[in-house]
Amino acid sequence: MKALPQISEAEFEVMKIVWKHAPISTNEITDCLVQTTDWSPKTIQTLIKRLVTKGALTYEKQSRVFVYTPLVGQDEYIGQESNSFLNRFYNGNISAMVSAYIENDRLSETEIDTLRSLLSGKTEKGGT
């Protein structure tokens, strides 16, 4: 498995827009983010440049416009981050993590029901 770039929280916000709308221009990314953040267009351009430098994004110049596409898949990146979190805080033990969330009332009844449904579906299909 290839090592994925480290992406800051702000860069992750840019990536979410690119993942959703790629291929997407600088102006389109900026238009999306100025609606949901208090970032200036210059800040957004800086974040985009960092993501290109880190190898998370690539771009093509189409006439006078830069159009970006991700080099890192959303599921791949989120999976890496989830595993990193799980390993760092719970020694890779997902049961310990879920227990901690339940014990600290961090899961709603709806979320618990969803987990039950997911787990019962997995065991019915012959999973572990």
Side-chain angles (χ1 to χ4, degrees):
M1 183 170 117
K2 69 177 181 178
L4 301 177
Q6 292 293 317
I7 297 173
S8 71
E9 286 186 44
E11 292 164 347
F12 184 68
E13 292 302 312
V14 174
M15 289 300 296
K16 288 193 298 189
I17 299 298
V18 176
W19 282 321
K20 186 174 183 179
H21 301 287
I24 185 170
S25 71
T26 307
N27 289 342
E28 291 168 324
I29 296 169
T30 301
D31 290 345
C32 289
L33 288 170
V34 295
Q35 294 176 28
T36 58
T37 68
D38 59 358
W39 300 338
S40 72
K42 188 82 173 151
T43 298
I44 295 166
Q45 289 174 4
T46 299
L47 292 168
I48 293 168
K49 286 177 188 171
R50 284 187 196 161
L51 288 164
V52 169
T53 301
K54 290 180 176 186
L57 292 179
T58 189
Y59 66 91
E60 276 184 19
K61 190 170 183 184
Q62 297 178 358
S63 84
R64 304 178 104 194
V65 177
F66 289 94
V67 177
Y68 296 88
T69 55
L71 291 173
V72 173
Q74 183 174 13
D75 292 342
E76 182 183 20
Y77 183 76
I78 291 172
Q80 171 188 276
E81 290 302 300
S82 297
N83 286 336
S84 176
F85 174 83
L86 186 61
N87 288 331
R88 181 172 177 197
F89 294 103
Y90 298 98
N91 294 321
N93 185 335
I94 196 162
S95 297
M97 182 187 80
V98 173
S99 293
Y101 274 73
I102 292 170
E103 290 169 12
N104 293 306
D105 294 324
R106 299 201 58 193
L107 293 177
S108 69
E109 285 300 319
T110 302
E111 291 168 322
I112 292 170
D113 289 342
T114 300
L115 286 171
R116 276 192 191 107
S117 177
L118 289 168
L119 291 170
S120 67
K122 181 78 171 170
T123 56
E124 288 172 10
K125 293 178 184 174
T128 55

